[in-house]
Amino acid sequence: MNVLVCNDTAEPLDSLISVLRNNSNITNVNVARNGRQAIDALHSAPVDVSVSSGAGLDFNRMLQRHIAPEIASALTRVVATQTPTVPLLVKAHQFGFNNVLQLDRNGDEVFSTLQRTLHGEESLVNHPVVKALHLTPGALTRSITFQDDNDHYITELVGVGLPDHEIAEALQLTIQMVRNRIASILRVNQLSNRTQLALLQNTNWQIPDFA
Amino acid sequence: MNPPQYILLSEATTVEDFVDDPVFTDVTHDGEIYTTYRIVRFTHEIRGHHDDWSHLVNVSLEFAVGIGVAYLRIRNRIVEDSRIKPQSSDSGHS
């Protein structure tokens, strides 16, 4: 198993790195200390599992947009954290992570969790809290698809917090049309609710590459 | 307060007699969930309803299978608001 650890300063994963390096079942442990290193590592050699810290969750979500689709789709992504809180679990699920790993485990337990996650035997999707929420996995990793300019404008205004009737007034559309369009955007993009659309619109960032 | 009047509409009326677009979206769960319906038939005109509902209609789900009854508030041939009527209730109160 080849593992890439995205090690950030906010929640360092040094102890996990040494646990992984001392485990004979793990072939290679690569460590990235910034986004560019992570992208280069993923494109230069096969990686089975990438591990990020809970603190690096938002950054890692953005990073996904800069990885070649064939690599991103084959990658198993795990969040490692001392405190797997409910918000972290839900966020990780919505950001397309496969599992959450608690950091106080020994080497064999860590390997077992990573291997079971890699083979789809253990997944965030099956966590009781996540399961009860009926959310689409990875919903907040997508880019929103728009059918026309009106869809785009409506979503921009949903993203700044306007209610439907104010969007209708601002764009000089009928309330009936605004709601039909929002329903259509939610359906086409497989989103569960309006808040997800607003959130996705506001986190639809790309990292500028100045290199 | 007087009870609202429900005036039965002729079966000869068409949906196009009342609205420009027969498709509307009902919003529920604190404004989070959007469900799209198609008006199949206008059955009643409502007068004097305290929630300002103006019509009672038969609807079908636009992107799934299902039928129902909806209270609509129609102004200038536009569906301004809607409430899908619970099957067991006929009060129309929200």
Side-chain angles (χ1 to χ4, degrees), chain A residues 1 3-6 13 16 20 48-54 56-57 60 64 75-81 88 92 95-103 105 110-111 113-118 122-124:
Chain A
M1 184 192 296
V3 180
L4 169 68
V5 180
C6 301
L13 299 176
L16 177 69
L20 293 171
D48 299 306
V49 181
S50 86
V51 183
S52 313
S53 72
L57 206 64
N60 199 281
Q64 290 301 303
L75 188 65
T76 295
R77 300 164 67 217
V78 172
V79 184
T81 183
L88 181 77
F95 284 7
F97 284 83
N98 301 84
N99 207 356
V100 172
L101 172 73
Q102 194 154 0
L103 277 174
R105 296 180 177 185
V110 167
F111 174 72
T113 301
L114 293 182
Q115 194 172 42
R116 287 172 59 77
T117 307
L118 182 62
E122 194 177 317
S123 171
L124 252 183

Side-chain angles (χ1 to χ4, degrees), chain B residues 8-59:
Chain B
L8 188 64
L9 294 169
S10 159
E11 287 189 31
T13 58
T14 67
V15 174
E16 291 72 27
D17 292 336
F18 300 94
V19 287
D20 290 332
D21 184 354
V23 176
F24 70 96
T25 296
D26 187 58
V27 182
T28 55
H29 296 76
D30 299 325
E32 287 293 337
I33 306 295
Y34 285 61
T35 311
T36 304
Y37 296 89
R38 180 176 289 272
I39 303 168
V40 176
R41 191 184 154 229
F42 278 77
T43 61
H44 294 78
E45 184 185 322
I46 308 171
R47 289 183 189 163
H49 198 287
H50 59 88
D51 281 337
D52 259 358
W53 300 122
S54 62
H55 294 86
L56 198 57
V57 298
N58 293 143
V59 296

Side-chain angles (χ1 to χ4, degrees), chain A residues 4 6 32-43 59 63 67:
Chain A
L4 169 68
C6 301
R33 300 195 183 280
N34 57 47
R36 173 50 59 197
Q37 285 180 6
I39 291 166
D40 289 346
L42 287 165
H43 286 97
F59 178 71
L63 208 62
I67 301 169

Side-chain angles (χ1 to χ4, degrees), chain A residues 16-33:
Chain A
L16 177 69
I17 292 165
S18 59
V19 163
L20 293 171
R21 283 187 168 150
N22 288 327
N23 191 305
S24 56
N25 293 310
I26 295 175
T27 319
N28 188 30
V29 182
N30 214 335
V31 178
R33 300 195 183 280

